[in-house]
Amino acid sequence: MPYFRSYDGTDLHYRVLPARSPGPAAPPLVCLAGGPGRDAVYLGDLGGLDAHRPLVVPDARGTGGSPPAPEPSSYAFPNLAEDLEALREHLGLDAFALLAHDAAAATAQAYAATHGARLTHLVLVCPGSRLQGELPDDAREIFEARIAEPWWPDASVAVHQLAEVSDLDEVRQLLLRAAPMAYGRWGEPQQAHARAEAAQLNPVPRAGFWQGVDEPTRRALLARLREAACPVLVVTGDLDAVTGMRAGGLVADSFPNAVLRPLRGVGHYPWVDEPETLRPLVEDFLPQAPGRPDKPGEPGAL
């Protein structure tokens, strides 16, 4: 299994999904898992985004094949952004495209704020907006609007009980009961994806994700995002009862060159609900394989 050495000498694991299509591959896409602190295996191949380009998927500290952090502050997302910079150096990339899901959008924004010149493109999928200093309540509104769904009564009970329990086994059971709220529909692909979540949770990295990120640090990172020159795509789902949709708008507004793309019938995991919608959206946004015509509006396009 491949590892890279980070800034503090820790060896962190990553995996590479090679491009499946024959012929020249597009530049690689580095993909960050959210949670926070969830094993990156839940990303899968992001709905087939490995068709024309390799996907590089690191395991954050304390998740997947990566060891625990030597101290709790190393789990904080600004430090995870420095792990990402170490991965870039290890891969020998002068610049690269980055995709981040859920809480990892904070890590990606910290990277854009501190190493923005190294990003060619940035894709943020269903981000939260805690870094922006606002927590919109439309996720609750989306959940309440689905009251007619057959799974809703039990999921509603589980959501309320989650606020009252601390035992990890109980939390895992309640998360599975509440899981339908995270998807656009509750079919077999969604259920299989949700069943795997319990084994992918890592409470210590989750607890440390915001550790030491005080208000001056938050404001400084946010201010520097205005200097990030790379194009940014923010994807939200209109049935995402985890982070909602308004957070994506706040995140997009933090960048000078961002576009917001809401998807219909999609929850918190668009590649599970509608891979045939997400994949072409992201592929059209990212750099193409050598020899493929540039997209209109990109440098070099005719």
Side-chain angles (χ1 to χ4, degrees), residues 250-277:
L250 293 169
V251 171
D253 288 344
S254 300
F255 290 91
N257 188 18
V259 60
L260 178 65
R261 288 289 182 265
L263 302 181
R264 292 182 60 83
V266 167
H268 195 60
Y269 305 99
W271 65 93
V272 179
D273 285 330
E274 294 291 345
E276 297 303 322
T277 299

Side-chain angles (χ1 to χ4, degrees), residues 47-130:
L49 280 178
D50 60 339
H52 304 293
R53 73 183 67 245
L55 305 183
V56 180
V57 187
D59 288 330
R61 292 170 185 257
T63 75
S66 290
E71 54 187 60
S73 62
S74 297
Y75 291 121
F77 68 87
N79 291 326
L80 298 183
E82 295 308 309
D83 290 335
L84 179 58
E85 173 62 4
L87 175 60
R88 180 198 66 78
E89 293 179 346
H90 171 81
L91 296 173
L93 299 173
D94 182 61
F96 66 100
L98 175 65
L99 181 149
H101 174 247
D102 183 56
T107 305
Q109 289 176 86
Y111 188 85
T114 53
H115 303 283
R118 298 298 188 179
L119 290 176
T120 64
H121 295 72
L122 176 60
V123 181
L124 303 176
V125 180
C126 299
S129 56
R130 184 172 173 179

